[in-house]
Amino acid sequence: MNQRYESRKEYSLMDVLQYNLRKWWLAAVFAAVFAVIVGGYKAKTLMPYIDAEVYDDRMQVETSVLLKDYNSGSTVERGNDIMKIAKSSSVYDEFCKVTGIDLTKQAFTDMFECEQTEASDIITFYVVYPRTSWDYTVNDEEEAYAFVNGLLQALDTVTKKQVGTQCFTVFDEPQSQREVTKLETYTISSSEFRQGVLKAVIAGILLGIMLEVVLYTLWMMIYKKPKDAQEVQECLETQIVDVITKKNENEETYKKAAMFLNGQKAEGCLKINCLPVGRTADTTALRLAMCYANEKKKTLLIDLNATDSDDASLSAYVMGNTTELKLQQMNDYLDTVKRNLKQEQGFDLVGNEKFKELLDRFSKQYEYILVNGRDVSAISEGYQTALLCDSNLVICGRRNVRTEELYMLKNTAEINHIHLDGVLVYDL
């Protein structure tokens, strides 16, 4: 027998694609959500610029000075000299001394602008407010006036000292004014708006699908439980008897499972061992037993999962504490017997020779014997029972079992030459 000692599910690229395709509705939800978010954001940001005239509105204090013929240079040369001197360290030092303002050289030179129109004798200085440059901020009109007046005074002092004469006179006194500039480059047409929003929607759809694939694939890799009944079947390598959900958990479903097991019966008694995995308080064996009893077949349910029977229990009989074994009669065709763990005092019930003898004796009295065991992922007792029975039905709670436990069940069964006839999957 080929034994594979696997402990976890390995997913191929095809498996990943198949699982993601099954969740197409989740990808559609992600795509719709991100299409709305990205497209809505794009529409909101572009809406103000549709066929609109957008202007840059700013406040500034400006002043103009008239150059004097302090040397034989041209108007342009004298203008350039004055503008360079205005940005010099000498004017910066004088400015800080005159105004008492503490700011860096970078902030000083960046705070104001100066320009000379063509070959004009007039140079204009202006300060925009409110504005922050480096470590200095001009908050309002008053501070802007103080800056411009300090600049003129410092520039006049430095030029007189360096040139030896007055280089300019104030042509326009500092004044505050509003400058409005049309920014045509920020306007778009209605067609461009629709195209921009459409591109954003498509990008949102692709982003949503990619995010869904990444998140679901990541979840699939770290989620250690089987994703569906097919994965349970792949782990155990046995056929699925049925998949029980909230919609089909009824008598007819259990009749189908009973018929599946009944198909393996030849003559005499059929002993069926139920191996719950991921289901701690299982009633499947009882429901299957009821199906046989309803067909007027003499049936016995040995309930090893009931651990606190107060009657003269199976445990007391097998352990030799009593010579009488009382069966509880549920109807004319169904009897049951339960165990009591306290009476076993830690001894192995199923491994006891007397349990095997009792099972052989009951086989002559009943047509069907069903053994309801405890969760085999925690208790190995179910494997011992399997060696004494004709059929072994795995009862799997898909949402309560890990794939490692399914592989452990399969490996243990193969090592002990236990055949798993099928699996009944609870997907509730």
Side-chain angles (χ1 to χ4, degrees):
M1 182 178 294
N2 183 22
Q3 299 177 0
R4 290 190 296 268
Y5 301 95
E6 300 171 272
S7 60
R8 61 188 179 90
K9 174 71 175 179
E10 295 288 347
Y11 295 99
S12 64
L13 179 60
M14 186 58 65
D15 291 330
V16 173
L17 293 176
Q18 288 178 348
Y19 278 118
N20 275 282
L21 288 175
R22 290 175 190 173
K23 295 296 181 180
W24 63 267
W25 57 269
L26 185 60
V29 170
F30 271 73
V33 170
F34 278 86
V36 171
I37 293 175
V38 179
Y41 176 78
K42 188 67 173 180
K44 182 179 179 180
T45 55
L46 293 181
M47 187 71 71
Y49 304 106
I50 303 175
D51 297 328
E53 293 183 347
V54 182
Y55 297 90
D56 180 22
D57 188 1
R58 65 180 184 177
M59 298 298 295
Q60 63 186 33
V61 171
E62 68 176 40
T63 185
S64 299
V65 299
L66 180 63
L67 298 176
K68 289 189 173 185
D69 296 329
Y70 59 87
N71 61 25
S72 60
S74 66
T75 298
V76 174
E77 290 173 344
R78 283 183 280 115
N80 286 334
D81 289 341
I82 294 299
M83 288 189 288
K84 288 180 180 179
I85 293 172
K87 297 281 186 177
S88 68
S89 297
S90 298
V91 173
Y92 161 69
D93 293 335
E94 185 66 23
F95 174 86
C96 294
K97 179 181 177 182
V98 171
T99 61
I101 297 175
D102 183 18
L103 75 167
T104 62
K105 173 70 167 24
Q106 294 90 338
F108 170 75
T109 56
D110 187 52
M111 186 56 67
F112 71 93
E113 296 295 336
C114 47
E115 62 182 17
Q116 181 183 23
T117 305
E118 297 179 352
S120 171
D121 289 336
I122 297 176
I123 298 176
T124 302
F125 297 89
Y126 58 88
V127 175
V128 177
Y129 67 91
R131 183 186 176 192
T132 298
S133 177
W134 297 82
D135 60 341
Y136 180 66
T137 301
V138 173
N139 295 299
D140 51 32
E141 181 180 318
E142 182 179 352
E143 293 182 3
Y145 269 110
F147 191 97
V148 172
N149 287 323
L151 173 62
L152 291 176
Q153 185 176 350
L155 181 60
D156 184 54
T157 301
V158 172
T159 53
K160 285 180 179 177
K161 184 183 299 185
Q162 292 183 353
V163 179
T165 184
Q166 188 176 24
C167 298
F168 63 87
T169 59
V170 177
F171 183 76
D172 284 328
E173 293 291 337
Q175 59 182 343
S176 178
Q177 67 178 18
R178 179 179 179 183
E179 182 176 286
V180 179
T181 306
K182 186 176 180 181
L183 303 177
E184 296 182 353
T185 55
Y186 285 91
T187 62
I188 61 173
S189 65
S190 298
S191 176
E192 291 172 330
F193 171 77
R194 289 191 295 269
Q195 291 177 2
V197 173
L198 179 60
K199 290 179 181 179
V201 169
I202 295 174
I205 291 174
L206 296 177
L207 177 62
I209 294 175
M210 291 175 59
L211 185 61
E212 183 277 334
V213 171
V214 170
L215 292 179
Y216 186 76
T217 302
L218 180 62
W219 173 86
M220 186 175 68
M221 296 302 179
I222 64 177
Y223 188 68
K224 298 183 179 299
K225 298 178 182 179
K227 312 303 179 296
D228 50 27
Q230 181 180 351
E231 189 166 327
V232 174
Q233 181 185 28
E234 292 173 355
C235 292
L236 295 178
E237 296 183 357
T238 187
Q239 60 182 316
I240 297 177
V241 177
D242 210 334
V243 179
I244 298 179
T245 64
K246 293 181 179 179
K247 295 182 178 180
N248 70 342
E249 191 178 17
N250 51 44
E251 184 180 356
E252 289 300 319
T253 301
Y254 289 100
K255 282 184 178 180
K256 294 178 184 178
M259 291 175 61
F260 169 82
L261 296 169
N262 193 42
Q264 304 175 44
K265 185 175 185 295
E267 295 182 359
C269 176
L270 177 62
K271 299 186 290 295
I272 302 171
N273 178 38
C274 293
L275 291 168
V277 54
R279 287 178 62 83
T280 55
D282 192 68
T283 59
T284 305
L286 174 60
R287 297 192 180 193
L288 293 174
M290 290 292 296
C291 290
Y292 292 127
N294 291 338
E295 295 295 325
K296 297 184 178 180
K297 305 295 184 181
K298 194 65 175 175
T299 306
L300 172 65
L301 172 62
I302 301 177
D303 196 350
L304 301 180
N305 201 21
T307 60
D308 55 356
S309 174
D310 294 330
D311 300 328
S313 68
L314 176 66
S315 301
Y317 180 80
V318 172
M319 294 297 125
N321 298 329
T322 180
T323 58
E324 183 181 6
L325 179 61
K326 294 182 179 180
L327 303 179
Q328 180 182 356
Q329 186 175 11
M330 302 188 69
N331 58 41
D332 293 339
Y333 294 93
L334 179 58
D335 298 330
T336 182
V337 62
K338 303 176 182 179
R339 77 189 313 175
N340 189 319
L341 286 177
K342 293 180 180 179
Q343 296 173 351
E344 296 174 16
Q345 298 179 349
F347 287 96
D348 187 357
L349 176 71
V350 178
N352 194 304
E353 188 66 26
K354 198 170 183 178
F355 179 84
K356 181 180 179 182
E357 294 173 358
L358 185 64
L359 202 61
D360 292 337
R361 176 157 61 89
F362 282 143
S363 298
K364 300 175 184 178
Q365 303 174 22
Y366 294 92
E367 294 183 64
Y368 294 91
I369 297 177
L370 288 93
V371 182
N372 181 32
R374 290 185 284 172
D375 186 357
V376 293
S377 63
I379 304 296
S380 62
E381 188 178 66
Y383 301 114
Q384 293 178 297
T385 310
L387 297 172
L388 304 176
C389 293
D390 306 308
S391 297
N392 294 286
L393 177 66
V394 179
I395 315 296
C396 177
R398 187 186 70 81
R399 301 176 189 271
N400 309 102
V401 68
R402 299 191 303 273
T403 54
E404 290 88 344
E405 295 171 341
L406 294 176
Y407 279 120
M408 183 61 69
L409 170 58
K410 175 61 180 176
N411 291 334
T412 304
E414 287 189 348
I415 292 172
N416 292 279
H417 306 287
I418 297 172
H419 178 68
L420 303 178
D421 297 275
V423 56
L424 191 61
V425 180
Y426 281 83
D427 197 359
L428 301 176

